[in-house]
Amino acid sequence: MAVNIKELKAGNAYTENNDLFLCISNEQNKQGRLSGKYMVKRKNMRTSAITEVSYNPTAKVDIALIEKEKCNIYMIQEICLFSWIMKHMNK
């Protein structure tokens, strides 16, 4: 689902050139009579690199839908214990 760059808010995830980004901030820079540019501070979700990119006001990006769930710490401990047991049984 493509949306205009003006509608991109902090916390939204989007894709560009097969990379997944998280928008940290989106600000409009307008100088005099010229049409403004949008400065987007973004975080690459794969490499954790933070970059600042400028877009034209007519640019469109594809919004990514990401589901977040809280993880139970007990479940993580059980998974670690199980994998440790299986690792040592296969020796």
Side-chain angles (χ1 to χ4, degrees):
M1 173 175 85
V3 298
N4 199 330
I5 198 70
K6 298 175 191 176
E7 300 170 11
L8 192 64
K9 306 239 184 290
N12 286 1
Y14 67 97
T15 59
E16 182 180 351
N17 298 331
N18 293 329
D19 283 329
L20 185 63
F21 295 100
L22 179 68
C23 177
I24 297 173
S25 68
N26 186 5
E27 299 172 353
Q28 182 182 17
N29 288 345
K30 186 168 169 92
Q31 299 172 351
R33 292 183 169 203
L34 300 173
S35 65
K37 293 217 177 247
Y38 283 87
M39 297 299 292
V40 177
K41 193 172 188 180
R42 65 188 189 177
K43 178 180 179 182
N44 190 326
M45 299 296 284
R46 291 188 178 99
T47 62
S48 297
I50 296 176
T51 55
E52 194 165 352
V53 182
S54 65
Y55 291 100
N56 288 329
T58 57
K60 294 188 181 274
V61 293
D62 292 323
I63 295 292
L65 301 175
I66 299 176
E67 294 180 8
K68 296 180 182 178
E69 291 185 15
K70 288 189 176 183
C71 187
N72 188 350
I73 191 70
Y74 177 75
M75 189 169 70
I76 293 173
Q77 291 173 346
E78 289 296 316
I79 292 170
C80 289
L81 179 64
F82 179 75
S83 62
W84 182 82
I85 290 171
M86 293 304 290
K87 180 179 161 184
H88 289 288
M89 285 179 66
N90 289 334
K91 283 187 175 181

